[in-house]
Amino acid sequence: MFNHLKKGILFIFFVIILVNYVHAANIAIEITAAQDKVVPDQNAVFRVSITNNENEDMTFKFTYLDIFWKIQTDSIEVKAKSTKAIDLVLIPQKEEKPDLITIIISSEDRSFREERILRLNLLTYSDVIKTEPIIPGAIDPRELSIIKVKLVNTHDYSFKTLTVEVKSEF
């Protein structure tokens, strides 16, 4: 009787171990910034390369669990024993955004899940647009003067609209 109880307990123990066994998927992920310097209304773009070393095709999805960005890229299918790359595009949803964001990459079959922290270099408009006043000589406050302002875009971004406000202490 005692021997059967021992065997039963050992059997239950092994069943519990086998049930809790999780196959760790052999997946490699590399993420590089393609467009990480962004102005307030600009998309951030990261190049994601996924290597699937498993013996079966896998589909991966990208998730972001906050309100500041929306992921444009939904999923990517990677064939067995191959590598595939995709641009992960993040669309800004709010003016104020954190410079560190956590992206979750997971497989549809739930055998793989990984969180990655991505760093953004958030720029203000004053960081990317430099002004150079062009003043033609002395200014007489009693006369009309024309002052030109040269705007220089130092960032690789095409502004759709731009409002310039000129202020003076005088």
Side-chain angles (χ1 to χ4, degrees), residues 113-126:
R113 183 182 188 278
E114 185 173 307
E115 291 184 11
R116 288 290 184 100
I117 296 176
L118 306 178
R119 177 177 293 282
L120 295 169
N121 186 357
L122 302 174
L123 305 172
T124 64
Y125 290 115
S126 61

Side-chain angles (χ1 to χ4, degrees), residues 3 5-6 14 19 24 26 35 42 96-97 101 103 119 122 136-137 147 155 165-166 170:
N3 204 15
L5 185 62
K6 267 175 131 178
F14 283 119
V19 168
N26 189 2
Q35 180 66 47
Q42 185 179 18
E96 296 293 322
K97 298 177 280 298
I101 59 174
I103 299 296
R119 177 177 293 282
L122 302 174
I147 299 173
H155 188 61
E165 184 177 325
V166 180
F170 303 109

Side-chain angles (χ1 to χ4, degrees), residues 97-168:
K97 298 177 280 298
D99 60 350
L100 292 176
I101 59 174
T102 302
I103 299 296
I104 301 168
I105 304 164
S106 58
S107 62
E108 281 188 347
D109 67 359
R110 297 184 180 175
S111 65
F112 178 83
R113 183 182 188 278
E114 185 173 307
E115 291 184 11
R116 288 290 184 100
I117 296 176
L118 306 178
R119 177 177 293 282
L120 295 169
N121 186 357
L122 302 174
L123 305 172
T124 64
Y125 290 115
S126 61
D127 292 333
V128 298
I129 298 181
K130 302 299 177 199
T131 58
E132 298 174 9
I134 302 170
I135 302 171
I139 297 176
D140 185 348
R142 297 169 293 183
E143 295 181 17
L144 180 65
S145 298
I146 297 177
I147 299 173
K148 295 180 181 180
V149 177
K150 180 179 177 183
L151 302 176
V152 180
N153 183 355
T154 62
H155 188 61
D156 185 21
Y157 181 68
S158 179
F159 293 93
K160 294 178 185 141
T161 60
L162 185 63
T163 303
V164 178
E165 184 177 325
V166 180
K167 293 181 182 179
S168 174

